């Protein structure tokens, strides 16, 4: 009996101490392959991407060759994967540089419905469930990453404008009493008209309690280094001019005629510049950096900024800051009938600057298609994109609903800011009923630079009608140089909902 117990014990010990052959480790899928990665844009984005790539290399045994500096679009064909601003989508498509993603590789849930995939309980990593495609915010899933019916990228991080305000300006008993006496309802504005009235009322009052008169608002009126000045103006114009029956915003979709001279754009420009008299200093000197500083120093009640810039809204002695969705309009212009409509509910579309944010694509000419797709999915996947968007050098907004629910990525970076208010404002912006994605056609940056020049001219005293007419003239010249029919194809394609031919018209002969 003792001998039998001893034999059994020996067998158990042998099994536990490696007596049996170890199970074979799964083969690394991309061992020996090199994936070349280029980043078009900010060096901070390049740093964020590079910092999150080691895990993928370790899991796949592939080598990542990431360009040391941001690359130009002319160099994209030399890489397998490209990370870029959505604004560059049309340029990359025009040059045939992006691979079209197969929807079946991203939507396992759809295959389950059709009976072509394992039951959900059996679907694992290989089925694509780990990518959680359906969790991507609709505006990014259906607009930002698509060009026509083709999906040409995956989202990494988003961007959107919000309204930040010092809560004391709207809650101080002294200020509230003065507002009641003046017949002003002092609350977070739901329309641009309300915003204008509250800004005017607060300007010149000591709402901060430091014994000095404070200002109403700081906007990026000056140099448009981050694209926020143009985006703020266009956001106001969208509330007035993005009609519910229209997909188009900046151009007409039959001949690419600019709409920039139409009533909503003119009214928005006049109102936008009228706010300059409530600025803390010469508005021409206020770029977004100076505007943030004025707000951070509690010199202005309101600031319009990218929501991801939240860490720059408070200083060493943080004051309570509220955050809200941008205002809307109770009137909207119908371009087809050329008439204004009065609404029962505010028209409040969101405008996502920079073509929606940062995306990743697979280069059509790349030699490592399978490995490149896998790496792109890794960057856009739930875990990695969550870490990338939290990078302090290049913060971005979430592009997934689950991440939106997490609120501020690093609450410690934004002391004093209401985390719930920020989360609600961002969620309302990203999931608005209508979302206007920033221009994505070839030459988008040039068109926006023309608009910035016109906006600055009006701010400097040029008649607004003349300033916008000059913009329209520049846009027409730019369109003709690039090829009107080809640009029209791109514009319709960029809206995702309008019919186009599979291929664009030929480029104009030089």
């Amino acid at each position: 009996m003792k001998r039998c117990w001893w034999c059994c014990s020996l067998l158990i010990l042998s099994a536990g101490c490696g007596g049996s052959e170890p199970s074979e480790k799964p083969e690394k899928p991309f061992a020996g392959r090199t994936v070349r990665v280029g980043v078009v844009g900010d060096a901070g984005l390049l740093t964020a991407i590079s910092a999150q790539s080691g895990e993928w290399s370790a899991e796949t045994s592939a080598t990542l060759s990431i360009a040391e500096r941001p690359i130009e679009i002319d160099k994209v064909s030399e890489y397998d994967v490209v990370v870029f601003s959505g604004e560059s989508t049309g340029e990359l498509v025009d040059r045939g540089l992006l691979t079209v993603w197969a929807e079946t590789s991203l939507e396992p849930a759809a295959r389950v419905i059709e009976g072509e995939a394992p039951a959900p309980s059996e679907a694992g990593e290989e089925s694509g469930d780990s990518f959680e495609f359906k969790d991507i915010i609709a505006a990014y899933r259906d607009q930002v990453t698509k060009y026509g019916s083709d999906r040409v990228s995956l989202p990494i991080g988003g961007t959107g404008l919000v309204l930040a305000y010092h809560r004391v300006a709207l809650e101080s008993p002294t200020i509230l009493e003065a507002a009641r006496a003046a017949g002003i309802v002092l609350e977070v504005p739901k329309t641009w008209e309300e915003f204008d009235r509250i800004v005017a009322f607060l300007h010149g009052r000591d709402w901060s309690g430091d014994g000095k008169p404070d200002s109403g608002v700081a906007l990026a009126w000056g140099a448009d280094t981050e694209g926020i000045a143009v985006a703020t103006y266009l956001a106001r114009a969208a509330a007035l001019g993005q009609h519910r029956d229209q997909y188009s915003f900046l151009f007409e979709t039959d001949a690419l005629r600019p709409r920039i001279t139409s009533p909503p754009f003119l009214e928005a420009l006049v109102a936008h510049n009228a706010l300059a008299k409530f600025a803390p200093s010469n508005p021409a000197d206020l770029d977004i950096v100076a505007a943030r500083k004025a707000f951070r120093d509690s010199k202005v009640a309101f600031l319009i900024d990218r929501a991801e810039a939240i860490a720059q809204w408070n200083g060493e002695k943080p004051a309570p800051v509220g955050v809200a969705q941008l205002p809307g309009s109770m009137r909207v212009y119908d371009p087809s009938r050329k008439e204004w409509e009065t609404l029962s509910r505010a028209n409040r579309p969101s405008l996502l600057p920079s073509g929606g944010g940062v995306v990743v694509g697979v280069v059509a000419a790349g030699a490592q298609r399978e490995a490149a797709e896998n790496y792109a999915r890794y960057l856009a996947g739930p875990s990695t994109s969550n870490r990338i968007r939290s990078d302090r050098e290049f913060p971005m907004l979430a592009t997934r609903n689950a991440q939106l629910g997490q609120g501020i990525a690093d609450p410690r970076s934004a002391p004093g800011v209401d985390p719930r208010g920020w989360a609600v404002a961002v969620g309302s912006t990203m999931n608005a009923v209508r979302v206007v994605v920033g221009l994505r056609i070839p030459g988008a940056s040039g068109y926006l630079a023309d608009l910035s020049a016109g906006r600055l001219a009006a701010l400097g005293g040029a008649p607004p009608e003349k300033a916008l007419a000059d913009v329209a003239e520049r846009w027409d010249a730019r369109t003709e140089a690039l090829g009107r029919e080809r640009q029209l194809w791109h514009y319709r394609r960029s809206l995702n909902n309008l019919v186009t031919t599979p291929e664009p018209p030929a480029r104009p002969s030089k």
Side-chain angles (χ1 to χ4, degrees):
M1 189 70 176
K2 290 181 179 179
R3 181 180 179 85
C4 181
W5 175 88
W6 181 85
C7 290
C8 291
S9 299
L10 183 60
L11 287 171
I12 293 171
L13 287 170
S14 298
C17 297
S20 61
E21 290 293 323
S23 59
E24 261 187 50
K25 291 184 178 179
E27 184 181 350
K28 300 288 186 179
F30 306 119
R33 302 190 193 184
T34 297
V35 176
R36 301 161 299 169
V37 182
V39 175
V40 177
D42 196 287
L45 174 59
L46 175 59
T47 301
I49 295 297
S50 300
Q52 300 299 333
S53 297
E55 181 181 1
W56 184 82
S57 293
E59 288 179 354
T60 62
S61 286
T63 300
L64 282 174
S65 176
I66 302 177
E68 295 181 358
R69 289 179 293 277
I71 65 171
E72 299 295 327
I73 287 180
D74 290 343
K75 300 293 183 181
V76 166
S77 60
E78 300 174 9
Y79 296 84
D80 301 298
V81 173
V82 59
V83 179
F84 57 98
S85 164
E87 190 176 292
S88 299
T89 300
E91 190 71 42
L92 291 166
V93 170
D94 189 62
R95 302 186 188 199
L97 293 170
L98 296 177
T99 293
V100 175
W101 285 81
E103 296 297 309
T104 52
S105 68
L106 301 170
E107 299 190 78
R111 297 203 303 276
V112 171
I113 293 172
E114 297 167 3
E116 299 177 8
S121 60
E122 299 172 10
E125 178 77 17
E126 293 182 0
S127 73
D129 282 345
S130 63
F131 187 69
E132 299 176 17
F133 179 75
K134 292 295 185 182
D135 183 48
I136 295 174
I137 296 166
Y140 287 85
R141 191 176 66 239
D142 301 332
Q143 291 179 254
V144 173
T145 59
K146 297 188 77 172
Y147 210 69
S149 59
D150 295 337
R151 187 173 310 284
V152 295
S153 63
L154 299 177
I156 294 178
T159 184
L161 299 177
V162 292
L163 178 66
Y165 60 95
H166 282 290
R167 293 179 61 175
V168 66
L170 302 184
E171 298 172 2
S172 164
T174 304
I175 298 298
L176 283 171
E177 182 60 35
R180 278 192 290 269
I184 300 291
V185 178
L186 210 56
E187 60 184 16
V188 177
K190 294 182 177 61
T191 68
W192 286 103
E193 291 78 10
E194 291 176 2
F195 179 69
D196 294 343
R197 286 195 295 271
I198 293 172
V199 165
F201 169 77
L202 291 173
H203 185 72
R205 298 178 185 272
D206 178 23
W207 48 260
S208 67
D210 64 356
K212 301 175 183 178
D214 301 307
S215 297
V217 65
L219 301 179
W221 281 291
D224 199 13
T225 53
E226 295 185 28
I228 295 178
V230 160
T232 302
Y233 160 60
L234 289 179
R236 183 160 189 159
L240 292 164
Q242 184 60 66
H243 192 272
R244 62 184 178 278
D245 295 334
Q246 298 283 333
Y247 289 114
S248 181
F249 177 51
L250 290 176
F251 297 91
E252 295 180 4
T253 56
D254 55 351
L256 209 67
R257 288 184 293 271
R259 283 183 173 166
I260 199 69
T261 57
S262 64
F265 291 95
L266 176 59
E267 183 173 316
L269 183 60
V270 171
H272 180 74
N273 286 349
L275 286 171
K277 60 180 173 285
F278 307 119
S281 61
N282 181 6
D285 297 332
L286 280 175
D287 61 6
I288 191 57
V289 175
R292 287 170 184 153
K293 184 178 187 308
F295 184 79
R296 191 164 58 242
D297 294 343
S298 295
K299 292 182 179 179
V300 295
F302 290 99
L303 170 73
I304 293 177
D305 196 4
R306 295 178 187 265
E308 62 269 28
I310 183 175
Q312 301 179 55
W313 297 347
N314 249 326
E316 295 180 359
K317 297 180 179 179
V321 170
V323 189
Q325 183 184 3
L326 289 191
S329 173
M330 298 303 295
R331 298 160 54 244
V332 67
Y333 187 77
D334 183 350
S336 60
R337 294 189 294 125
K338 294 182 170 41
E339 292 179 357
W340 287 97
E341 290 182 13
T342 300
L343 308 174
S344 58
R345 185 176 180 180
N347 186 45
R348 217 168 182 178
S350 297
L351 183 128
L352 305 183
S354 307
V358 175
V359 295
V360 56
V362 174
V363 180
Q368 300 295 341
R369 170 73 176 271
E370 187 180 4
E373 284 192 355
N374 189 280
Y375 177 64
R377 281 171 56 99
Y378 166 80
L379 288 180
S383 298
T384 312
S385 64
N386 203 31
R387 294 194 297 269
I388 292 173
R389 75 180 179 92
S390 305
D391 191 282
R392 293 192 176 189
E393 293 297 316
F394 198 92
M396 294 178 281
L397 298 182
T399 58
R400 292 172 175 272
N401 284 300
Q403 293 171 357
L404 279 183
Q406 297 170 9
I408 302 172
D410 181 9
R412 296 171 300 178
S413 69
V417 179
D418 174 20
R420 184 178 182 280
W422 184 89
V424 170
V426 172
S428 299
T429 299
M430 307 298 262
N431 283 304
V433 174
R434 289 297 299 270
V435 173
V436 178
V437 178
L439 198 61
R440 301 188 295 154
I441 62 177
S445 61
Y447 286 95
L448 294 176
D450 293 338
L451 181 54
S452 182
R455 182 191 59 79
L456 286 169
L459 184 67
E465 297 89 342
K466 175 67 165 56
L468 292 179
D470 287 346
V471 172
E473 186 177 337
R474 292 191 193 103
W475 280 7
D476 276 331
R478 193 176 294 276
T479 297
E480 290 297 336
L482 293 170
R484 183 168 294 275
E485 290 303 315
R486 191 176 180 92
Q487 286 295 93
L488 176 60
W489 181 91
H490 276 289
Y491 185 63
R492 292 176 65 91
R493 198 84 169 168
S494 73
L495 297 177
N496 301 126
N497 292 292
L498 300 177
V499 176
T500 63
T501 57
E503 298 296 327
R507 291 184 175 87
S509 56
K510 295 183 179 179

